[in-house]
Amino acid sequence: MIMHIVGNRPQFIKLAPVSKELQRRGYRQVVIHTGQHYDENMSEVFFEELGILKPDQNLGIGSGTHAQMTGRAMIEIEKALEDHRPDCAILYGDTDSTLAGAIATVKMNVPIVHIEAGIRTGKLKNPEEANRIVTDHLSDMLFCSDAASVRNLRAEGIADHVYQVGDVMYDTFLQYRKSEGGTVLKKHGLKQDGYALMTWHRQENTHSRERMRQIIGFLKKTRRQIVCPMHPGTRAKLVEYDLMEELEELPDVLILPPVGYADMMELMVNAHIILTDSGGVSKESYFAGVKCILMVDLNLWPDLMKANWITKLDFDSEASIRDALLRMEEKRDGETAVLPDIYGRGDASERIADILERAYQL
Ligand code: UDP
């Protein structure tokens, strides 16, 4: 039996194609939700919309400091492992739930499978970096989305059981594009190419009032309409810093609650440009054929950076701000994905299932 350990929004989106493929092949699976994301629109909506197996158990760890969440999750994951005794545990991405899963699982002598392994920013100040490093070093089987991730692992001496299978988020993107179920454009009277899509939630941006002021200052200068489905953590910080009203009063900024996957895809593929600090959203910008301005100094997707698909915005540099404002004005050239198969062909989940089948005689 296979155990999936997930806890937040991007992990549900990564879990969807993998669990579906394993289900199609008839394997027994258990989904453990740590409860890191608990709002209905950050969690349940994805299980419903993406038809994911409902979590067998929600560990209810909620929010807190990194250590509180990781500690609580480890204790609860250990109990779940004892109860279910899986053949392997699949971990996704780089969150505190991933880290907790890795540490609890390795001590139970259960093999660890890491999906989206090998991403590195080279910055330990980036809170997810420690999660990535520890998880990869404890994993028995590492599935990478791109060649850069394989190289990163090799540089740390991890070469065995590393597989470049493509990106499971691309699988979800392609599967979902077929149904195209979004309604958000119509609801808010948005036009194709008429707005910039913005999301931001990274600690690097949200844990400083000054940075939040810089972001609002930037939005005041842009002449584009901005549509921002806002992460609850970002909203809480803006309220704490007494900046929410100032942002909401900007005439061209539409703040929405977090949207479901179909609405997000609709917002993404129809945007003029994407402004984000999200790892997932910046990579999906490429799937969607919409260029991206990355509001954080992290080199998560080196190939997309090299190709200038993603360009960085440094709020401490006037020149960088000017560049980004110009970029937002540029005509959208309708470019589609032109880089060859960096993230696979949308069959990452099948390839993962093939390899797991062979390795664990499932
Ligand atoms: N997403 C969504 N609704 C939103 C914002 C994001 O469905 O309102 C999706 C997005 O398309 C991507 C994933 O959530 O698939 C990314 O999550 P997030 O930005 O929270 O995390 P990160 O990728 O930075 O870890």
Side-chain angles (χ1 to χ4, degrees), residues 130-143:
N131 301 350
R132 298 182 189 109
I133 295 171
V134 173
T135 305
D136 284 339
H137 282 263
L138 298 182
S139 291
D140 296 86
M141 197 163 284
L142 301 99
F143 291 113

Side-chain angles (χ1 to χ4, degrees), residues 9-10 13 46 169 199 201-202 229 231 258-261 264-265 268 277-281 284:
R9 177 169 67 188
I13 292 163
F46 295 99
M169 286 179 99
T199 75
H201 69 275
R202 275 191 186 278
H231 193 290
V259 295
Y261 190 75
M264 188 62 182
M265 290 304 111
M268 208 177 272
D277 62 9
S278 157
V281 174
E284 286 168 336

Side-chain angles (χ1 to χ4, degrees), residues 200-238:
W200 90 98
H201 69 275
R202 275 191 186 278
Q203 192 171 303
E204 285 91 335
N205 284 326
T206 58
H207 283 211
S208 145
R209 183 173 198 274
E210 179 49 27
R211 172 50 49 85
M212 292 289 230
R213 287 192 58 240
Q214 287 174 318
I215 293 173
I216 295 174
F218 178 83
L219 295 180
K220 284 181 180 165
K221 286 188 195 144
T222 166
R223 283 184 284 161
R224 284 237 168 254
Q225 176 171 24
I226 304 285
V227 178
C228 176
M230 188 171 277
H231 193 290
T234 308
R235 177 178 285 274
K237 281 288 180 189
L238 283 162

Side-chain angles (χ1 to χ4, degrees), residues 111-259:
I112 299 174
V113 176
H114 188 201
I115 292 183
E116 215 184 49
I119 293 170
R120 293 291 183 272
T121 63
K123 293 182 180 182
L124 275 175
K125 274 200 175 148
N126 169 232
E128 292 85 14
E129 187 76 350
N131 301 350
R132 298 182 189 109
I133 295 171
V134 173
T135 305
D136 284 339
H137 282 263
L138 298 182
S139 291
D140 296 86
M141 197 163 284
L142 301 99
F143 291 113
C144 297
S145 303
D146 59 3
S149 302
V150 176
R151 285 196 296 275
N152 291 337
L153 291 175
R154 203 166 291 146
E156 291 175 18
I158 305 175
D160 289 344
H161 307 294
V162 172
Y163 304 91
Q164 186 184 338
V165 289
D167 195 293
V168 291
M169 286 179 99
Y170 189 39
D171 295 14
T172 310
F173 177 84
L174 290 182
Q175 285 168 19
Y176 220 84
R177 275 312 302 280
K178 287 182 202 147
S179 55
E180 298 192 351
T183 55
V184 66
L185 256 60
K186 195 162 173 225
K187 186 168 169 197
H188 296 282
L190 299 168
K191 297 263 172 320
Q192 184 182 39
D193 202 19
Y195 61 92
L197 172 65
M198 178 181 194
T199 75
W200 90 98
H201 69 275
R202 275 191 186 278
Q203 192 171 303
E204 285 91 335
N205 284 326
T206 58
H207 283 211
S208 145
R209 183 173 198 274
E210 179 49 27
R211 172 50 49 85
M212 292 289 230
R213 287 192 58 240
Q214 287 174 318
I215 293 173
I216 295 174
F218 178 83
L219 295 180
K220 284 181 180 165
K221 286 188 195 144
T222 166
R223 283 184 284 161
R224 284 237 168 254
Q225 176 171 24
I226 304 285
V227 178
C228 176
M230 188 171 277
H231 193 290
T234 308
R235 177 178 285 274
K237 281 288 180 189
L238 283 162
V239 170
E240 179 189 323
Y241 299 145
D242 206 13
L243 292 172
M244 195 62 210
E245 268 176 38
E246 185 179 343
L247 180 62
E248 277 175 331
E249 274 164 15
L250 298 183
D252 284 335
V253 177
L254 174 64
I255 308 281
L256 303 175
V259 295

Side-chain angles (χ1 to χ4, degrees), residues 173 177 192-193 195-197 265-276 281-293 304 308-310 327 332-337:
F173 177 84
R177 275 312 302 280
Q192 184 182 39
D193 202 19
Y195 61 92
L197 172 65
M265 290 304 111
E266 192 184 45
L267 283 173
M268 208 177 272
V269 298
N270 290 297
H272 178 79
I273 197 160
I274 294 171
L275 202 59
T276 189
V281 174
S282 57
K283 183 178 51 188
E284 286 168 336
S285 77
Y286 174 67
F287 307 154
V290 176
K291 298 269 175 75
C292 175
I293 297 176
L304 298 184
N308 267 341
W309 194 275
I310 298 177
R327 242 187 146 219
R332 179 176 152 172
D333 48 17
E335 248 180 277
T336 45

